[in-house]
Amino acid sequence: MKQCMEQFKRIIKKNVPMIIILLTTIILVFPLLGNKVSSGHDYDFHVTNFLLNQSNINILKLDFIIPKVFGGNIANSFGYGTGIFYPPLSYYLTSYLAYFFQIIKVNSILALPFLQIIIFFLSSLMMYKFVKRVSNDNTVAIISAISYISSVYFITNIYVRIAIAESLTFIFIPLVFWGLYELFFGAKKKFYILFTLGYVGLINCHLVLSIYITMFIIIVFLIFFKKVFKKEIIKKLIFASILILLISSPFLVPLLEHKFYGNYVVFNQETMYTIKTIKENALSLKDFFIIKIKTPNGVEVYMNYVIIYMTLITIHFNKQIFKKEKKYIFWSVLVILIVSTFISTKYFPWAIMPSFIKMIQFPWRMCGIIGFCSSILSGYFTKIIDSPHKKTIVCIIGLFIVLFGASTIPRERVTKPYYPTEISMGVQKEYLPQKTIENIEYFEKRNKEIIIKNGKANIDILEKETPYLKANIKLESETPVVIELPRLYYLGYSIKLQTDKELKKVKYKENEKGFIELEVEESGILEVQYEGTIANKISNYISIITIFSCIFALIYKKNKKNR
Amino acid sequence: MKKNKMNINKKEIIITIIVLVLCIVVGFFAGKALYETMYGAI
């Protein structure tokens, strides 16, 4: 019995970090377990997408891929290219969860809160692992992990903004920086795995944030250029970057193709943001400190007071806390913290910034990075506690951090399961062709038939399951007809006409309303499906080959080492 | 290193799982008590 108790105690001691992370997560996700759910902001968009896309997945029939052009009732069933422009990780994860929930007869709408719970837990865990590696101190790592998920912006992203994609980045940000730590101070092999995994995750969650993080990393590299600009380091960074780009190419290639060869709302600066809207969403310094009872859009940007206090104390005592190579860590984190705080404010010269910087739309998005940096620094606060009751003090501090975080969770929520009030295409309908948004009335009132623009023909639609379409076209004269398909224009459609003699590919173009227009010269069966562009197909293969090569290389190296 | 991995005690794993499950249960009730104090009925 005594032996058993001792073993029990030993196990508890060994698992203290995991127990604390679990407890914190459960306390912070508790409202997600109840019978109420947050709605508003991106809720309708995410739920619409995964409720629709779960039907595209069927593991038994080997259907693993969600088409890039979304069907269903989205965009009046004209085929909406969310998958081309929107990073895939969030809708893949929610759709797969919804699919599995459906199999085990659980309401698939619960996939959303379930994923949010996983995000809470994994973000905290990754932050713990990262800071544990850097500081080699359990207490520092635990407080950082707690602070990370108790930061007000993290909670706002989950509970108010329902920004699944942005929330997912919180899992990958620690991985990227952990990878960089390994590159400079640790095992170089680990760098490839962590850095690549982190960046691939980031790019496939939120492209704008990954651009910003790259920018921050470049700034830090420039500051410590003597340590960074070595042949060996640069070589490894370039190789990792190539791997990241190759693995992420199935998302990046079609996105760039549509940017250069198409005209879509998402790339139109005037529609997506103006200097005025950016400045409206930029913060003043007092916004970080004042708890607003009701902000116009419900987004809470103030900082967790306990974390602010601890961060400031850590900065003040930095010379005692950070010694030798740890100084680099401190200054890197501090520089990123200062730069991201500056960017989030209205004092940042937004007017003269290039468009890729302004794509952030809401400067308060930087609060995610601010939260990440301040969590690391607040963890180091525990290093200056010099008392025989250190454990008790740390426990109380941890409790205050979590309680502050929990108190920022909004009360006003609706009863679940709550179905979206509208079939959401995104707040600005940003994935429509620019010509469609300019003729939005036509788009809203257009019927779902094939419209003859020029010539005479008899057209019967045989099958339509957006984006797929099959129609029988009988020309009434020998002159060709020009038709408009009930499909929005995106690159990558494959249109074929089966005549009596042959099967031929038909070229299509974007018409003045942003729909697909083509010329049919002979009678036959017209078949339309979305296959993706040639570059997209090639990038899919390249990505799969790269992933398998990386796995193969890892296994091969491990086996070689074991021998 | 390899030998150590092989010798992981089964009992230890079971106790670890029990501890983590207990922790989830405790967390659940702590969360419930906390939010009921803050919000009223959840």
Side-chain angles (χ1 to χ4, degrees):
Chain A
M1 188 67 189
K2 204 180 169 187
Q3 198 192 353
C4 203
M5 274 311 284
E6 261 174 28
Q7 198 177 9
F8 188 71
K9 270 185 191 169
R10 192 163 47 87
I11 289 167
I12 289 201
K13 215 174 176 185
K14 202 171 130 190
N15 287 298
V16 162
M18 188 52 91
I19 290 171
I20 294 175
I21 288 170
L22 258 179
L23 275 174
T24 316
T25 307
I26 293 164
I27 288 174
L28 289 173
V29 302
F30 193 82
L32 293 171
L33 304 171
N35 63 352
K36 288 199 170 171
V37 69
S38 311
S39 64
H41 286 256
D42 293 354
Y43 182 86
D44 287 0
F45 178 72
H46 287 297
V47 177
T48 307
N49 287 341
F50 76 73
L51 286 182
L52 165 82
N53 283 327
Q54 63 171 331
S55 58
N56 288 314
I57 302 162
N58 194 332
I59 289 176
L60 295 176
K61 287 183 185 170
L62 300 178
D63 291 335
F64 300 112
I65 305 289
I66 295 169
K68 279 185 178 286
V69 170
F70 290 4
N73 289 329
I74 300 177
N76 300 346
S77 304
F78 296 144
Y80 190 49
T82 312
I84 297 165
F85 307 97
Y86 198 79
L89 202 60
S90 61
Y91 68 80
Y92 261 91
L93 285 175
T94 43
S95 303
Y96 265 88
L97 278 175
Y99 169 74
F100 286 120
F101 277 22
Q102 200 186 25
I103 289 175
I104 57 168
K105 305 255 183 278
V106 174
N107 192 342
S108 50
I109 208 162
L110 299 180
L112 189 73
F114 187 74
L115 182 63
Q116 288 174 319
I117 293 171
I118 294 175
I119 292 171
F120 257 109
F121 179 69
L122 284 184
S123 304
S124 186
L125 189 67
M126 288 307 146
M127 189 64 170
Y128 168 76
K129 295 257 178 202
F130 163 55
V131 181
K132 173 79 202 300
R133 177 75 182 93
V134 173
S135 66
N136 207 13
D137 186 323
N138 248 339
T139 320
V140 175
I142 289 171
I143 291 294
S144 293
I146 291 176
S147 304
Y148 194 41
I149 55 169
S150 303
S151 62
V152 180
Y153 187 68
F154 187 99
I155 289 169
T156 300
N157 257 343
I158 297 274
Y159 283 100
V160 181
R161 298 189 59 225
I162 330 282
I164 296 296
E166 210 176 312
S167 307
L168 277 167
T169 59
F170 283 88
I171 301 174
F172 298 106
I173 293 171
L175 278 181
V176 170
F177 287 95
W178 184 4
L180 285 175
Y181 178 82
E182 295 292 351
L183 176 66
F184 292 106
F185 306 108
K188 308 265 190 288
K189 276 173 213 157
K190 274 192 178 174
F191 155 73
Y192 284 120
I193 303 172
L194 295 165
F195 190 73
T196 311
L197 198 68
Y199 246 109
V200 169
L202 264 185
I203 290 173
N204 286 283
C205 283
H206 207 284
L207 194 59
V208 178
L209 270 185
S210 50
I211 292 171
Y212 266 81
I213 286 179
T214 314
M215 212 169 65
F216 293 139
I217 292 173
I218 292 170
I219 292 172
V220 172
F221 278 4
L222 289 176
I223 292 172
F224 301 118
F225 68 94
K226 271 189 185 169
K227 200 160 173 59
V228 178
F229 291 102
K230 289 175 186 164
K231 207 177 167 188
E232 195 195 356
I233 301 264
I234 296 288
K235 234 166 128 181
K236 287 194 164 69
L237 279 170
I238 290 173
F239 185 63
S241 309
I242 292 170
L243 279 184
I244 291 159
L245 291 176
L246 289 181
I247 295 174
S248 309
S249 59
F251 164 58
L252 294 174
V253 167
L255 181 79
L256 290 174
E257 270 187 296
H258 281 79
K259 180 171 171 60
F260 294 122
Y261 302 117
N263 187 10
Y264 294 89
V265 180
V266 69
F267 299 122
N268 191 321
Q269 294 167 17
E270 284 159 24
T271 333
M272 290 304 285
Y273 58 82
T274 57
I275 285 296
K276 198 179 158 216
T277 59
I278 290 177
K279 285 212 163 167
E280 275 168 6
N281 287 291
L283 309 172
S284 62
L285 276 181
K286 67 171 193 239
D287 288 334
F288 292 109
F289 303 101
I290 295 173
I291 300 174
K292 285 173 190 161
I293 292 155
K294 230 173 193 175
T295 46
N297 46 16
V299 179
E300 310 284 5
V301 291
Y302 59 89
M303 298 279 290
N304 188 321
Y305 286 177
V306 192
I307 300 176
I308 294 186
Y309 173 75
M310 290 161 76
T311 306
L312 292 176
I313 299 283
T314 308
I315 294 171
H316 183 74
F317 289 106
N318 73 79
K319 278 184 186 158
Q320 284 100 307
I321 300 171
F322 301 94
K323 282 169 186 158
K324 291 180 190 168
E325 95 246 8
K326 297 284 188 288
K327 275 183 192 168
Y328 290 108
I329 311 290
F330 169 72
W331 285 108
S332 307
V333 174
L334 190 67
V335 164
I336 298 175
L337 178 65
I338 292 169
V339 175
S340 54
T341 310
F342 180 47
I343 293 175
S344 68
T345 60
K346 41 182 96 155
Y347 315 112
F348 189 66
W350 285 108
I352 55 165
M353 284 296 132
S355 59
F356 76 93
I357 297 277
K358 285 187 277 196
M359 265 311 279
I360 195 169
Q361 289 177 297
F362 316 117
W364 40 250
R365 274 196 171 132
M366 279 299 103
C367 290
I369 314 284
I370 297 171
F372 171 73
C373 297
S374 55
S375 304
I376 299 172
L377 295 180
S378 69
Y380 272 99
F381 169 83
T382 55
K383 284 247 180 196
I384 56 162
I385 302 173
D386 185 19
S387 155
H389 306 294
K390 185 173 174 176
K391 276 183 188 165
T392 321
I393 297 170
V394 170
C395 279
I396 293 169
I397 291 171
L399 197 67
F400 273 109
I401 295 172
V402 179
L403 282 179
F404 193 100
S407 70
T408 61
I409 297 171
R411 288 147 199 252
E412 292 148 20
R413 290 173 308 126
V414 289
T415 310
K416 77 180 178 191
Y418 174 75
Y419 286 90
T421 47
E422 62 161 317
I423 298 161
S424 176
M425 296 161 66
V427 179
Q428 283 146 312
K429 297 185 173 69
E430 53 264 46
Y431 308 132
L432 284 178
Q434 184 63 29
K435 288 175 183 168
T436 310
I437 205 99
E438 284 163 9
N439 297 284
I440 195 72
E441 213 170 300
Y442 178 81
F443 163 80
E444 279 161 2
K445 289 181 181 164
R446 190 200 189 282
N447 61 31
K448 286 162 191 165
E449 302 301 320
I450 295 174
I451 295 172
I452 301 167
K453 305 274 295 241
N454 195 6
K456 277 186 178 176
N458 213 337
I459 300 174
D460 289 320
I461 292 182
L462 305 173
E463 274 179 60
K464 49 178 173 182
E465 197 179 330
T466 319
Y468 182 76
L469 182 78
K470 194 175 179 183
N472 187 5
I473 300 178
K474 273 185 194 164
L475 266 60
E476 288 179 1
S477 64
E478 286 200 352
T479 48
V481 288
V482 177
I483 56 172
E484 181 192 282
L485 298 181
R487 294 287 173 270
L488 293 166
Y489 177 81
Y490 296 105
L491 304 169
Y493 269 104
S494 156
I495 304 179
K496 286 171 188 162
L497 185 72
Q498 177 73 62
T499 62
D500 294 339
K501 299 169 215 158
E502 55 177 350
L503 177 73
K504 52 180 189 178
K505 229 174 168 185
V506 185
K507 280 187 181 170
Y508 67 95
K509 61 170 190 171
E510 181 183 18
N511 71 6
E512 72 288 351
K513 302 284 193 310
F515 282 81
I516 290 178
E517 191 170 291
L518 50 100
E519 194 179 80
V520 180
E521 289 165 349
E522 286 175 81
S523 298
I525 305 281
L526 191 79
E527 209 174 3
V528 181
Q529 48 192 350
Y530 191 80
E531 288 181 351
T533 58
I534 295 169
N536 189 1
K537 285 178 199 166
I538 294 169
S539 65
N540 288 345
Y541 287 115
I542 289 176
S543 175
I544 292 168
I545 291 168
T546 315
I547 292 170
F548 278 105
S549 312
C550 289
I551 295 170
F552 178 76
L554 280 174
I555 295 170
Y556 178 75
K557 276 196 172 172
K558 212 175 179 183
N559 283 345
K560 209 175 166 188
K561 203 179 162 190
N562 284 345
R563 265 181 228 161
Chain B
M1 186 70 189
K2 229 182 175 183
K3 232 180 182 179
N4 281 344
K5 268 188 185 171
M6 296 291 286
N7 284 342
I8 290 175
N9 195 343
K10 267 188 189 171
K11 203 171 150 194
E12 207 165 288
I13 296 172
I14 293 167
I15 297 177
T16 311
I17 292 169
I18 293 172
V19 166
L20 294 180
V21 171
L22 268 177
C23 149
I24 292 174
V25 175
V26 171
F28 184 82
F29 285 106
K32 194 168 188 280
L34 175 71
Y35 290 102
E36 276 181 355
T37 322
M38 286 198 305
Y39 295 174
I42 290 272

